[in-house]
């Protein structure tokens, strides 16, 4: 599939950007519609989106560039060019959560409650956005002869983007289903952290384009830390009931 969707005034508009943007907009819309069920003014969601989305993009690019510094050092234009890919989800999520927490403090909103509202939408946005990796021919896995393998550069490989897309879609459905019966604020957020990180840890092991830190796959280190931290907080919060 051609990674360029169309061209406007000589500028190529790529499917990667369209799908990432679509995932974010769908997430904002879903969060906006569900906000009253969490006692949150829907207009706050629009306000938050104006800050959280840019923060997520900056964080995702920052994370990717930091762990690929040899490729980008000394070339500021290359660092700023995200149209060819090069966004790391963990960096985007961390920057987005920090921004959301700061907004919650300013607005006197419970950050756990806002995150519980948003996490199903985050998972859905991931499910949509991962298809941008497919079109860009990136974020795929090692060679395999499994019947659902895809061909990349003449080789049959694991469609790791698809594994994550399906998992995140199912995760979104699960989190929405249990949201009305959550036992404590933060439960949905912590379950997202545990379940997404569990999938990412194993799927990351199949990818050939992982970012590395001191010889270890960065995403696996972050996922392992998230599983431990979220599980610990979940246990503490549940015990206080």
């Amino acid at each position: 599939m051609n990674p360029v969707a169309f061209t406007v005034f000589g500028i190529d508009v790529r499917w990667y950007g369209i799908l990432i943007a679509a995932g974010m907009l769908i997430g904002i819309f879903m969060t906006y519609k569900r906000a009253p069920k969490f006692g949150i003014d829907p207009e706050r969601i629009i306000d938050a989106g104006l800050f959280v989305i840019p923060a997520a993009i900056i964080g995702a690019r920052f994370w990717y560039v930091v762990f690929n510094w040899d490729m980008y050092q000394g070339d500021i234009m290359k660092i700023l060019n995200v149209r060819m890919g090069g966004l790391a989800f963990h960096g985007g999520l961390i920057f987005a959560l920090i921004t959301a927490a700061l907004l919650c403090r300013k607005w006197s909103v419970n950050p756990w409650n806002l995150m519980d509202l948003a996490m199903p939408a985050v998972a859905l946005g991931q499910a949509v956005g991962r298809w941008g990796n497919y079109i860009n021919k990136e974020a795929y896995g090692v060679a395999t002869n499994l019947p659902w393998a895809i061909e990349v550069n003449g080789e049959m490989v694991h469609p790791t983007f698809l594994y994550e897309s399906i998992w995140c879609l199912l995760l979104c459905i699960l989190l929405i289903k249990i949201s009305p019966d959550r036992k404590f604020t933060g439960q949905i957020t912590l379950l997202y952290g545990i379940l997404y990180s569990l999938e990412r840890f194993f799927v990351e092991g199949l990818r050939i384009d992982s970012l590395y830190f001191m010889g270890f796959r960065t995403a696996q280190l972050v996922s392992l830390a998230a599983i431990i931290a979220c599980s610990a907080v979940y246990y503490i919060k549940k015990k206080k009931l």
Side-chain angles (χ1 to χ4, degrees):
M1 185 172 178
N2 189 341
V4 177
F6 54 88
T7 301
V8 178
F9 301 120
I11 300 175
D12 292 337
V13 178
R14 303 175 69 89
W15 281 111
Y16 180 82
I18 292 174
L19 287 166
I20 295 294
M24 290 180 171
L25 291 175
I26 290 170
I28 289 291
F29 177 76
M30 188 173 89
T31 305
Y32 180 91
K33 298 296 289 186
R34 297 176 67 239
K37 297 179 181 179
F38 286 74
I40 296 176
D41 182 356
E43 294 304 314
R44 286 296 191 199
I45 303 304
I46 302 300
D47 295 338
L50 295 175
F51 294 94
V52 171
I53 288 179
I57 295 172
I58 292 170
R61 186 58 171 176
F62 174 81
W63 193 272
Y64 188 86
V65 169
V66 166
F67 290 103
N68 272 306
W69 185 240
D70 290 342
M71 183 190 306
Y72 292 98
Q73 61 179 331
D75 192 341
I76 186 66
M77 296 309 298
K78 194 173 182 180
I79 291 174
L80 297 176
N81 181 17
V82 299
R83 297 173 64 250
M84 299 298 291
L87 299 175
F89 174 74
H90 280 126
L93 181 62
I94 291 170
F95 273 53
L97 291 178
I98 292 173
T99 303
L102 292 174
L103 291 173
C104 285
R105 182 175 182 179
K106 179 180 179 180
W107 296 335
S108 298
V109 173
N110 185 330
W112 284 113
N113 195 41
L114 179 62
M115 289 190 291
D116 279 352
L117 166 62
M119 284 307 165
V122 171
L124 181 60
Q126 289 177 265
V128 174
R130 277 299 175 191
W131 285 88
N133 297 133
Y134 169 67
I135 298 173
N136 262 13
K137 292 185 178 180
E138 61 186 10
Y140 56 87
V142 296
T144 181
N145 58 3
L146 290 171
W148 54 81
I150 60 172
E151 183 177 349
V152 178
N153 299 326
E155 184 178 32
M156 304 306 292
V157 300
H158 278 283
T160 48
F161 82 93
L162 179 61
Y163 300 159
E164 182 152 322
S165 180
I166 293 173
W167 183 271
C168 287
L169 178 60
L170 295 175
L171 181 56
C172 171
I173 294 171
L174 173 66
L175 295 179
I176 288 176
K177 184 175 178 61
I178 66 177
S179 287
D181 301 315
R182 60 178 176 160
K183 305 302 181 184
F184 53 85
T185 55
Q187 183 180 17
I188 307 303
T189 303
L190 296 169
L191 283 174
Y192 168 86
I194 295 167
L195 296 176
Y196 171 68
S197 298
L198 185 65
E199 172 270 326
R200 184 62 185 269
F201 181 86
F202 288 104
V203 171
E204 190 69 23
L206 296 174
R207 288 177 56 170
I208 66 169
D209 60 346
S210 298
L211 302 177
Y212 282 86
F213 176 70
M214 298 181 66
F216 295 96
R217 295 175 190 261
T218 305
Q220 287 188 317
L221 292 176
V222 174
S223 296
L224 185 59
I227 291 171
I228 294 171
C230 290
S231 297
V233 175
Y234 191 100
Y235 174 77
I236 293 170
K237 278 181 162 287
K238 187 176 181 181
K239 193 174 181 180
K240 288 182 178 180
L241 293 178

